[in-house]
Amino acid sequence: MKLQGKVLNAGSASGDVLVLDEPLSFWGGYDPETGTIIDQQHPQVGAVMTGKIVVMPGTRGSSGTPGVLGESLRLCTGPAGLVLNKPDINVTAAALVVSTLYDMHCPVVALDETAFRTLHARTPISIEADGSVTQQA
């Protein structure tokens, strides 16, 4: 299955998927040193984003997201790529800054709601620079 999204930060990545059921606040809800969700109220608390394609319905709250997510990407504990259901300036800013400062790339793609809902956990995904998202059969 191939889906077409809007490129928020270009790049390519592939890997196992982590689907978040709810938006995440990276500030206080995510440990950038381990890549682990630490928000005790989040359904995926304890899940590790490191090296995964994270499918998430955006972020919540804090403008601290670019700093926390950016630090995680710099430490190589962050996700390999992000798929959102709408553009998110905080996630995009983190990926753009890390790309510019450290030449490390984390693609970010936004899918429309219908396409976003077709993605399932446990099925590897690849993201291409043109915004295409392919889920393995």
Side-chain angles (χ1 to χ4, degrees):
M1 174 176 43
K2 187 172 184 176
L3 307 167
Q4 185 61 47
K6 179 179 181 178
V7 176
L8 302 177
N9 188 51
S12 60
S14 61
D16 290 335
V17 176
L18 173 62
V19 176
L20 302 189
D21 295 328
E22 295 180 10
L24 175 68
S25 173
F26 280 85
W27 184 259
Y30 178 75
D31 181 349
E33 293 187 11
T34 65
T36 305
I37 296 172
I38 58 173
D39 178 350
Q40 297 300 308
Q41 305 302 315
H42 197 279
Q44 280 72 45
V45 63
V48 177
M49 291 186 180
T50 306
K52 295 186 177 157
I53 305 296
V54 177
V55 176
M56 60 186 296
T59 58
R60 119 177 106 77
S62 177
S63 60
T65 292
V68 175
L69 179 57
E71 180 66 0
S72 176
L73 293 170
R74 187 187 70 81
L75 295 172
C76 299
T77 59
L82 292 150
V83 179
L84 310 171
N85 69 345
K86 59 186 175 190
D88 184 304
I89 188 66
N90 291 319
V91 168
T92 304
L96 286 168
V97 168
V98 169
S99 176
T100 301
L101 292 179
Y102 305 111
D103 197 27
M104 301 170 77
H105 305 280
C106 177
V108 182
V109 173
L111 297 175
D112 66 38
E113 186 69 26
T114 301
F116 182 80
R117 294 285 171 217
T118 65
L119 298 177
H120 304 285
R122 298 188 196 142
T123 306
I125 286 178
S126 62
I127 300 171
E128 301 302 327
D130 67 356
S132 63
V133 176
T134 304
Q135 189 167 32
Q136 309 301 314

